[in-house]
Amino acid sequence: MTALTLSTAAATGLRADAIVVGVAKGAGSKGGLVVAPGAEAVDKAYDGKLASVLETLGASGGEGEVTKLPAPSGFKAPVVVAVGLGEVPEKDETYGTDALRRAAGVAARALTGSKKAGFALPVEAAEDAGALAEGALLGAYSFDAYKGQADAKAAKKNGKDAKAPLAEVALLGGKPRDKAYKAAVERAVAVAEELNRARDLVNTPPNDLGPEDFAAVAQAAAKEHGIKVQVLDEKALTKGGYGGILGVGAGSDAPPRLVKLSYTSSKAKKHLAFVGKGITYDSGGISLKPAGHNETMKCDMAGAAAVFAAVVAAARLGLEVNVTGWLALAENMPSGSATRPGDVLRMYSGKTVEVLNTDAEGRLVLADAIAKASEDQPDAIVDVATLTGAMMVALGNRTFGIMSNDDAFRASVHEIAEEVGEPSWPMPLPTDLRKGMDSPTADIANMGERMGGGLVAGLFLKEFVGEGITWAHLDIAGPAFHEGAPFGYTPKGGTGTAVRTLVRLAEHTASGDLG
C-alpha cells in the first residue's frame, strides 16, 4: 500500500517525482483558471503565471482534469501535476472534503509507477489532511494478484514497474506534530486499508473465494485485531435451523457459512449490528441468470466485504462502541440438489418462505442473519447488500438506496453517507407492496410486485427484524462494482462502497451523536 506522511517541506525543495497542485474554475463566465491554496510557492516559481501557463495547455480546472508540465528551474522534482478541483468555493467557504478526496485520488492514479509525490493541495484543517490522505490511498489502489509473470519479468528487466501504484505521498502543508492532524491521517490509513481489503475480496475470482475461503480471511483478520469470531459451518447451520442460508447454498459444492465478528469496547454504551450479504457467486440458481448477467457476479458478496472491513476498521480505531458483523456466505448454483422455484424454506426465525425465484436469494440469507442478529438486542441493525437490479434502475450505478423502519434513523444514515462522500438516497417502504408477497402455501413469498422491486425486497427483510429494533437496509447494487473507467478515487472493479458510511455511523454512535 502507498506510504503516506505529513510534511513541512517546501514544494520547491522536496525530492520527488512530481509535485501535485490544485486548480479550479473561477466564478462567472470570465473567471478563468484559479490556483488553489497550497500551491503558492509553486505559483511563485512560475513568476505568478502558473494559471496562464496551464490555460495555454488547455486546463480548465474541471473536476478530475489532470495537466502535467515541466517543473520550473530550481525544483528538485522534475514535474508539476495540476489536478482540477471543480468550481471555486463561494466567498468565506473552503474546498469540500470530498472534492479534496477526489482530487487526491485522481492525482495518485495519474502518478502510477512513480516512487514519490508531494501533494501541495489545500490543507486548512485536520479534516482536509484526512480527506487528502484517504483519497490518495484509495486512488492509488490496484488489484494485480492475478497479473501474468511476463509483465513482472519485463518490469524487472526495465528496472521499474510502470504499473505499480504510487509508492509514497508527502502531504505538504500538513502538521506532523499536531495531534489532530496525526489522528486524521492515522484514521484515513486505517479506513483506506480496510476498504481496499474489501475491494480485494470483491475482485477475487469466485474459484478462489468461496464461503469457506471468505470465512478463513475473516478469521485471520479477527485474530490479528483482537476481534472475537465464530464460524457456523453447514452442520451448525443445519442444527440451528438456518433454512434461508442453507437453501441458497444447497446447489453448490462449496457449503455455506455464517460468520459472526464481535468487536467490543469496555467504554461502549451502544451496540451496532452490521449484516452483509455474501453470495460469493450468484448464477441465479435454477432461475438461471440470462447470458451477459453472470460475468460480474463475483461481486455479489460486496455487502459482506463492506461489513467485514467496517468491523475491522472499528477495531483498529478503538471506537467506543460495540460492533458485531454478520457475514451470510453462500454460493448460489444450479444442480440436482439446488432449491427449486416452489420450494418452501423454514427460516431461522421460524417463518416459512415460498421461493418463487431462486435469483432472489440475497434476501433469504440476510433474513436468517438479521433474525439471528436481533437476538442480541442491538441498538440498531444495518444490513448491506447488492440486492436488486431494481435499485439500479431507480438510482443508477453510483447511488445506493437506504430503507428503514425508522424515518429519523434513515435520515441520519443518509446524512452520514453524504458526509463521507458516498452518494445515497432515502427510499420508502410502502405498506401496500407487502400484499404482493402473500403466499397461499407459506408465511411469505420471496417475490412480490415487479414494479418497486427494490422496495419489495426491503419489505421482505423488515419481516425478520426483531421487535422494537431500529433497522436500516442499504441496497448497494449500483455502486458496489464499477465497470467503467476509473474516476476520482473510484477504481474499475470493486469499489468498497458502504465501508466509510458504516465506520462513520459507528463513530457517531460512539460519540453519542445518534442518541
Side-chain angles (χ1 to χ4, degrees), residues 360-432:
E361 85 299 330
R363 64 198 71 180
L364 298 176
V365 301
L366 285 174
D368 272 355
I370 288 171
K372 180 63 177 176
S374 296
E375 292 181 349
D376 293 337
Q377 289 295 308
D379 293 284
I381 295 174
V382 180
D383 77 73
V384 187
T386 48
L387 206 59
T388 66
M391 196 55 56
M392 298 170 68
V393 172
L395 298 178
N397 292 323
R398 296 190 183 184
T399 304
F400 63 77
I402 306 172
M403 286 154 262
S404 179
N405 60 2
D406 183 300
D407 289 347
F409 187 61
R410 181 186 62 188
S412 294
V413 174
H414 177 230
E415 289 173 6
I416 287 168
E418 295 297 311
E419 177 187 339
V420 300
E422 295 194 320
S424 65
W425 197 250
M427 303 291 283
L429 288 173
T431 55
D432 62 287

Coordinates of all heavy atoms in Angstrom, one line a residue, residues 360-432:
A360 N -33.7 -14.5 -6.3 CA -34.0 -13.5 -5.2 C -33.5 -14.2 -3.9 O -34.2 -14.4 -3.0 CB -35.5 -13.2 -5.1
E361 N -32.1 -14.5 -4.0 CA -31.5 -15.3 -2.9 C -30.9 -14.5 -1.8 O -30.8 -14.9 -0.7 CB -30.5 -16.2 -3.5 CG -29.1 -15.6 -3.7 CD -29.0 -14.4 -4.7 OE1 -29.9 -14.4 -5.6 OE2 -28.2 -13.6 -4.5
G362 N -30.5 -13.2 -2.1 CA -29.8 -12.4 -1.1 C -30.7 -12.2 0.1 O -30.2 -12.2 1.2
R363 N -32.0 -11.9 -0.2 CA -32.9 -11.6 0.9 C -33.1 -12.9 1.8 O -33.4 -12.7 3.0 CB -34.2 -11.1 0.4 CG -35.0 -12.1 -0.5 CD -36.0 -11.5 -1.3 NE -35.4 -10.7 -2.4 CZ -36.1 -10.0 -3.3 NH1 -37.4 -10.0 -3.2 NH2 -35.5 -9.3 -4.3
L364 N -32.9 -14.0 1.3 CA -33.0 -15.3 2.1 C -31.9 -15.4 3.1 O -32.1 -15.7 4.3 CB -33.1 -16.5 1.2 CG -34.3 -16.5 0.2 CD1 -34.2 -17.7 -0.7 CD2 -35.6 -16.5 1.0
V365 N -30.6 -15.2 2.6 CA -29.5 -15.3 3.6 C -29.5 -14.2 4.6 O -29.2 -14.4 5.8 CB -28.2 -15.4 2.8 CG1 -28.1 -16.6 1.9 CG2 -27.8 -14.2 2.1
L366 N -29.9 -13.0 4.1 CA -29.9 -11.9 5.0 C -31.0 -12.0 6.1 O -30.8 -11.6 7.2 CB -30.2 -10.6 4.2 CG -29.1 -10.0 3.4 CD1 -29.6 -8.8 2.6 CD2 -27.9 -9.5 4.3
A367 N -32.1 -12.6 5.7 CA -33.2 -12.8 6.6 C -32.8 -13.7 7.8 O -33.1 -13.3 9.0 CB -34.4 -13.4 5.9
D368 N -32.1 -14.7 7.6 CA -31.6 -15.6 8.6 C -30.6 -14.8 9.5 O -30.7 -14.9 10.8 CB -30.9 -16.8 8.1 CG -31.8 -18.0 7.8 OD1 -33.0 -17.8 8.2 OD2 -31.4 -19.0 7.3
A369 N -29.7 -14.1 8.9 CA -28.7 -13.3 9.7 C -29.3 -12.2 10.5 O -28.9 -11.9 11.6 CB -27.6 -12.8 8.7
I370 N -30.3 -11.5 9.9 CA -30.9 -10.4 10.6 C -31.7 -10.9 11.8 O -31.7 -10.4 12.9 CB -31.9 -9.6 9.7 CG1 -31.1 -8.8 8.7 CG2 -32.8 -8.7 10.4 CD1 -31.9 -8.2 7.5
A371 N -32.4 -12.1 11.6 CA -33.1 -12.7 12.7 C -32.2 -13.1 13.9 O -32.4 -12.9 15.1 CB -33.9 -13.9 12.3
K372 N -31.0 -13.6 13.5 CA -30.0 -14.0 14.5 C -29.4 -12.8 15.2 O -29.3 -12.8 16.4 CB -28.9 -14.9 13.8 CG -27.8 -15.3 14.8 CD -28.4 -16.3 15.8 CE -27.3 -16.8 16.7 NZ -27.8 -17.7 17.8
A373 N -29.1 -11.8 14.4 CA -28.5 -10.6 15.0 C -29.5 -9.9 15.9 O -29.1 -9.3 16.9 CB -28.2 -9.6 13.8
S374 N -30.8 -10.0 15.7 CA -31.8 -9.4 16.5 C -31.8 -10.0 17.9 O -32.2 -9.3 18.9 CB -33.2 -9.6 15.9 OG -33.3 -8.9 14.7
E375 N -31.3 -11.2 18.1 CA -31.3 -11.9 19.4 C -30.4 -11.2 20.4 O -30.7 -11.2 21.6 CB -30.9 -13.3 19.3 CG -31.9 -14.2 18.6 CD -31.5 -15.7 18.4 OE1 -30.3 -16.0 18.7 OE2 -32.3 -16.5 18.0
D376 N -29.4 -10.5 19.9 CA -28.5 -9.7 20.8 C -29.1 -8.4 21.2 O -28.5 -7.7 22.0 CB -27.2 -9.5 20.1 CG -26.4 -10.8 19.9 OD1 -26.7 -11.8 20.6 OD2 -25.5 -10.8 18.9
Q377 N -30.3 -8.0 20.7 CA -30.9 -6.7 21.0 C -30.0 -5.5 20.8 O -29.8 -4.7 21.7 CB -31.5 -6.8 22.4 CG -32.7 -7.7 22.6 CD -33.9 -7.2 21.9 OE1 -34.3 -6.1 22.0 NE2 -34.5 -8.1 21.1
P378 N -29.4 -5.4 19.6 CA -28.5 -4.2 19.4 C -29.3 -3.0 19.3 O -30.6 -3.0 19.2 CB -27.9 -4.6 18.1 CG -28.9 -5.4 17.4 CD -29.5 -6.2 18.4
D379 N -28.7 -1.8 19.5 CA -29.4 -0.5 19.4 C -29.9 -0.3 17.9 O -30.8 0.4 17.7 CB -28.5 0.6 19.9 CG -28.2 0.5 21.3 OD1 -29.1 0.8 22.1 OD2 -27.1 0.0 21.7
A380 N -29.1 -0.9 17.0 CA -29.6 -0.7 15.6 C -28.9 -1.8 14.8 O -27.8 -2.3 15.1 CB -29.2 0.6 15.0
I381 N -29.6 -2.3 13.7 CA -29.1 -3.2 12.7 C -29.1 -2.5 11.4 O -30.0 -1.8 11.0 CB -30.0 -4.5 12.6 CG1 -30.0 -5.3 13.9 CG2 -29.6 -5.3 11.5 CD1 -31.0 -6.4 13.9
V382 N -27.9 -2.6 10.7 CA -27.8 -2.1 9.4 C -27.4 -3.3 8.5 O -26.3 -3.9 8.7 CB -26.8 -0.9 9.3 CG1 -26.7 -0.5 7.8 CG2 -27.2 0.2 10.2
D383 N -28.2 -3.6 7.5 CA -27.7 -4.6 6.5 C -27.3 -4.0 5.2 O -27.7 -2.9 4.9 CB -28.8 -5.7 6.3 CG -29.9 -5.2 5.3 OD1 -29.7 -5.1 4.1 OD2 -31.0 -4.9 5.8
V384 N -26.3 -4.6 4.6 CA -25.7 -4.1 3.3 C -25.7 -5.2 2.3 O -25.2 -6.3 2.6 CB -24.3 -3.6 3.6 CG1 -23.7 -2.9 2.4 CG2 -24.2 -2.7 4.8
A385 N -26.2 -4.9 1.1 CA -26.4 -5.9 0.1 C -26.4 -5.4 -1.3 O -27.1 -4.3 -1.5 CB -27.6 -6.7 0.4
T386 N -25.8 -6.1 -2.2 CA -26.1 -5.9 -3.6 C -27.4 -6.7 -4.0 O -27.3 -7.8 -4.5 CB -24.9 -6.5 -4.5 OG1 -24.6 -7.8 -4.0 CG2 -23.7 -5.6 -4.3
L387 N -28.5 -6.0 -3.6 CA -29.7 -6.8 -3.5 C -30.6 -6.9 -4.8 O -31.0 -7.9 -5.2 CB -30.6 -6.4 -2.3 CG -31.5 -7.4 -1.8 CD1 -30.7 -8.7 -1.3 CD2 -32.3 -6.9 -0.6
T388 N -30.8 -5.7 -5.4 CA -31.8 -5.7 -6.5 C -31.3 -4.9 -7.7 O -30.8 -3.8 -7.6 CB -33.1 -5.2 -6.1 OG1 -33.0 -3.8 -5.7 CG2 -33.7 -6.0 -4.9
G389 N -31.6 -5.4 -8.9 CA -31.4 -4.7 -10.1 C -32.4 -3.5 -10.2 O -32.1 -2.5 -10.8
A390 N -33.5 -3.6 -9.5 CA -34.5 -2.6 -9.5 C -33.9 -1.3 -8.8 O -34.3 -0.2 -9.2 CB -35.7 -3.0 -8.7
M391 N -33.0 -1.4 -7.9 CA -32.4 -0.2 -7.2 C -31.5 0.5 -8.2 O -31.4 1.7 -8.2 CB -31.7 -0.6 -6.0 CG -31.4 0.5 -5.0 SD -32.8 1.5 -4.5 CE -33.9 0.2 -3.8
M392 N -30.9 -0.3 -9.1 CA -30.1 0.3 -10.1 C -30.9 1.1 -11.1 O -30.6 2.1 -11.6 CB -29.2 -0.7 -10.8 CG -28.2 -1.5 -9.9 SD -27.5 -2.9 -10.7 CE -26.4 -2.1 -11.9
V393 N -32.1 0.5 -11.5 CA -33.0 1.2 -12.4 C -33.5 2.5 -11.8 O -33.6 3.5 -12.4 CB -34.2 0.3 -12.7 CG1 -35.3 1.1 -13.5 CG2 -33.8 -0.9 -13.4
A394 N -33.7 2.5 -10.4 CA -34.2 3.7 -9.8 C -33.1 4.7 -9.6 O -33.4 5.9 -9.8 CB -34.8 3.3 -8.4
L395 N -31.9 4.3 -9.2 CA -30.9 5.3 -8.7 C -29.6 5.3 -9.6 O -28.7 6.1 -9.3 CB -30.5 5.0 -7.3 CG -31.7 5.2 -6.2 CD1 -31.2 4.8 -4.8 CD2 -32.3 6.6 -6.3
G396 N -29.5 4.4 -10.5 CA -28.3 4.4 -11.4 C -27.2 3.6 -10.8 O -27.4 2.9 -9.8
N397 N -26.0 3.8 -11.3 CA -24.8 3.0 -10.9 C -24.0 3.5 -9.8 O -23.0 2.9 -9.4 CB -24.0 2.7 -12.2 CG -24.6 1.9 -13.2 OD1 -25.4 0.9 -12.9 ND2 -24.4 2.2 -14.5
R398 N -24.2 4.8 -9.4 CA -23.3 5.4 -8.4 C -24.0 5.7 -7.0 O -23.3 6.2 -6.1 CB -22.7 6.7 -9.0 CG -21.8 6.4 -10.2 CD -21.0 7.6 -10.6 NE -20.2 7.4 -11.8 CZ -19.4 8.3 -12.3 NH1 -19.3 9.5 -11.7 NH2 -18.7 8.0 -13.4
T399 N -25.3 5.4 -6.9 CA -26.0 5.8 -5.7 C -26.7 4.6 -5.1 O -27.3 3.8 -5.8 CB -27.1 6.9 -6.1 OG1 -26.5 8.0 -6.7 CG2 -27.8 7.3 -4.8
F400 N -26.5 4.4 -3.8 CA -27.2 3.3 -3.1 C -28.5 3.8 -2.4 O -28.6 5.0 -2.0 CB -26.3 2.5 -2.2 CG -25.7 3.2 -1.0 CD1 -26.5 3.5 0.1 CD2 -24.4 3.6 -1.0 CE1 -25.9 4.1 1.2 CE2 -23.8 4.2 0.1 CZ -24.6 4.5 1.2
G401 N -29.4 2.9 -2.3 CA -30.7 3.2 -1.6 C -30.7 2.9 -0.1 O -30.0 2.0 0.3
I402 N -31.4 3.7 0.7 CA -31.5 3.5 2.1 C -32.9 3.3 2.5 O -33.8 4.2 2.2 CB -30.9 4.7 2.9 CG1 -29.5 5.0 2.5 CG2 -30.9 4.4 4.4 CD1 -28.9 6.2 3.1
M403 N -33.3 2.2 3.1 CA -34.6 2.0 3.6 C -34.5 1.7 5.1 O -33.5 1.3 5.6 CB -35.3 0.8 2.9 CG -35.7 1.1 1.5 SD -35.8 -0.4 0.4 CE -34.2 -0.2 -0.4
S404 N -35.6 2.0 5.8 CA -35.5 1.8 7.3 C -36.9 1.7 7.9 O -37.9 2.2 7.3 CB -34.8 3.0 7.9 OG -34.7 2.9 9.3
N405 N -37.0 1.1 9.1 CA -38.3 1.1 9.8 C -38.4 2.3 10.7 O -39.3 2.4 11.6 CB -38.4 -0.2 10.6 CG -37.3 -0.4 11.6 OD1 -36.4 0.5 11.8 ND2 -37.3 -1.5 12.3
D406 N -37.4 3.3 10.6 CA -37.4 4.5 11.4 C -36.9 5.7 10.6 O -35.8 5.7 10.1 CB -36.4 4.3 12.6 CG -36.3 5.4 13.6 OD1 -36.0 6.5 13.1 OD2 -36.6 5.2 14.8
D407 N -37.8 6.6 10.3 CA -37.5 7.7 9.4 C -36.3 8.5 9.9 O -35.5 9.0 9.1 CB -38.7 8.6 9.2 CG -39.8 7.9 8.5 OD1 -39.6 6.9 7.8 OD2 -41.0 8.5 8.5
A408 N -36.2 8.8 11.2 CA -35.1 9.6 11.7 C -33.8 8.9 11.5 O -32.8 9.5 11.1 CB -35.3 9.9 13.2
F409 N -33.8 7.6 11.7 CA -32.5 6.8 11.5 C -32.1 6.8 10.0 O -31.0 6.9 9.7 CB -32.7 5.4 12.1 CG -31.4 4.6 12.1 CD1 -30.3 5.0 12.8 CD2 -31.3 3.4 11.3 CE1 -29.2 4.2 12.8 CE2 -30.1 2.7 11.3 CZ -29.1 3.1 12.1
R410 N -33.1 6.6 9.2 CA -32.9 6.6 7.7 C -32.2 7.9 7.3 O -31.3 8.0 6.6 CB -34.1 6.4 7.0 CG -34.0 6.4 5.4 CD -35.3 6.3 4.7 NE -36.1 7.4 5.0 CZ -37.4 7.5 4.7 NH1 -38.0 6.6 4.0 NH2 -38.1 8.6 5.0
A411 N -32.8 9.0 7.9 CA -32.2 10.4 7.6 C -30.8 10.5 8.1 O -29.9 11.1 7.4 CB -33.1 11.5 8.2
S412 N -30.5 10.0 9.3 CA -29.2 10.0 9.8 C -28.2 9.3 9.0 O -27.1 9.7 8.7 CB -29.2 9.5 11.3 OG -29.9 10.3 12.1
V413 N -28.6 8.1 8.6 CA -27.7 7.3 7.7 C -27.4 8.0 6.4 O -26.3 8.0 5.9 CB -28.3 5.8 7.5 CG1 -27.4 5.1 6.5 CG2 -28.4 5.1 8.8
H414 N -28.4 8.6 5.9 CA -28.3 9.3 4.6 C -27.3 10.5 4.8 O -26.4 10.7 4.0 CB -29.6 9.8 4.1 CG -29.5 10.7 2.9 ND1 -30.1 11.9 2.8 CD2 -28.9 10.5 1.7 CE1 -29.9 12.4 1.6 NE2 -29.1 11.6 0.9
E415 N -27.4 11.2 5.9 CA -26.5 12.4 6.1 C -25.1 11.9 6.3 O -24.2 12.5 5.8 CB -27.0 13.1 7.4 CG -28.3 13.9 7.2 CD -28.8 14.5 8.5 OE1 -28.1 14.3 9.5 OE2 -30.0 15.0 8.5
I416 N -24.9 10.8 7.0 CA -23.6 10.2 7.2 C -23.0 9.8 5.9 O -21.8 10.1 5.6 CB -23.7 9.1 8.2 CG1 -23.9 9.6 9.6 CG2 -22.4 8.2 8.2 CD1 -24.3 8.6 10.7
A417 N -23.7 9.1 5.1 CA -23.2 8.7 3.8 C -22.8 9.9 2.9 O -21.7 9.9 2.3 CB -24.3 7.9 3.0
E418 N -23.6 10.9 2.9 CA -23.2 12.1 2.2 C -22.0 12.8 2.8 O -21.1 13.3 2.1 CB -24.4 13.1 2.2 CG -25.6 12.6 1.4 CD -25.4 12.4 -0.1 OE1 -24.8 13.3 -0.7 OE2 -25.7 11.3 -0.6
E419 N -21.9 12.8 4.1 CA -20.7 13.4 4.8 C -19.4 12.7 4.4 O -18.4 13.4 4.2 CB -20.9 13.2 6.3 CG -19.8 13.7 7.2 CD -20.0 13.3 8.6 OE1 -21.1 13.0 9.0 OE2 -19.0 13.3 9.4
V420 N -19.4 11.4 4.2 CA -18.2 10.7 3.8 C -18.0 10.6 2.3 O -17.0 10.1 1.8 CB -18.1 9.3 4.4 CG1 -18.1 9.4 6.0 CG2 -19.2 8.4 3.9
G421 N -18.9 11.1 1.5 CA -18.8 11.1 0.1 C -19.3 9.9 -0.6 O -18.9 9.6 -1.8
E422 N -20.3 9.2 0.0 CA -20.9 8.0 -0.7 C -22.3 8.4 -1.1 O -23.2 8.5 -0.2 CB -20.8 6.8 0.3 CG -19.4 6.4 0.6 CD -19.4 5.0 1.2 OE1 -20.2 4.7 2.1 OE2 -18.5 4.2 0.8
P423 N -22.5 8.6 -2.4 CA -23.9 9.0 -2.8 C -24.9 8.0 -2.4 O -24.8 6.8 -2.6 CB -23.7 9.1 -4.3 CG -22.3 9.4 -4.5 CD -21.6 8.6 -3.5
S424 N -26.0 8.5 -1.8 CA -27.1 7.6 -1.4 C -28.4 8.4 -1.5 O -28.4 9.6 -1.7 CB -26.9 7.2 0.0 OG -26.9 8.3 0.9
W425 N -29.5 7.7 -1.3 CA -30.8 8.3 -1.4 C -31.8 7.5 -0.5 O -31.9 6.3 -0.6 CB -31.3 8.4 -2.8 CG -32.5 9.4 -2.9 CD1 -33.8 9.1 -3.2 CD2 -32.3 10.8 -2.8 NE1 -34.5 10.3 -3.2 CE2 -33.6 11.3 -3.0 CE3 -31.3 11.7 -2.6 CZ2 -33.9 12.7 -3.0 CZ3 -31.5 13.0 -2.5 CH2 -32.8 13.5 -2.7
P426 N -32.6 8.3 0.4 CA -33.6 7.6 1.2 C -34.7 7.1 0.4 O -35.2 7.8 -0.5 CB -34.0 8.7 2.2 CG -33.6 10.0 1.5 CD -32.4 9.7 0.7
M427 N -35.2 5.9 0.6 CA -36.3 5.3 -0.1 C -37.4 4.8 0.9 O -37.1 4.5 2.0 CB -35.7 4.1 -0.9 CG -34.6 4.3 -1.8 SD -35.1 5.3 -3.3 CE -35.9 4.1 -4.3
P428 N -38.6 4.8 0.4 CA -39.7 4.5 1.3 C -39.9 2.9 1.3 O -39.3 2.2 0.5 CB -40.9 5.1 0.6 CG -40.6 5.0 -0.9 CD -39.1 5.2 -0.9
L429 N -40.8 2.5 2.3 CA -41.2 1.1 2.3 C -42.7 1.1 2.3 O -43.4 1.0 3.4 CB -40.7 0.5 3.6 CG -39.2 0.2 3.7 CD1 -38.8 -0.3 5.0 CD2 -38.8 -0.9 2.6
P430 N -43.3 1.3 1.1 CA -44.8 1.4 1.0 C -45.5 0.2 1.5 O -45.2 -0.9 1.0 CB -45.0 1.7 -0.5 CG -43.7 2.1 -1.0 CD -42.7 1.4 -0.2
T431 N -46.4 0.3 2.5 CA -47.1 -0.9 3.0 C -47.9 -1.6 2.0 O -48.1 -2.8 2.1 CB -47.9 -0.5 4.2 OG1 -48.8 0.6 3.8 CG2 -47.0 0.0 5.4
D432 N -48.4 -0.9 1.0 CA -49.3 -1.6 0.0 C -48.5 -2.6 -0.8 O -49.1 -3.5 -1.4 CB -49.9 -0.5 -0.9 CG -48.9 0.2 -1.7 OD1 -48.2 1.1 -1.1 OD2 -48.7 0.0 -2.9

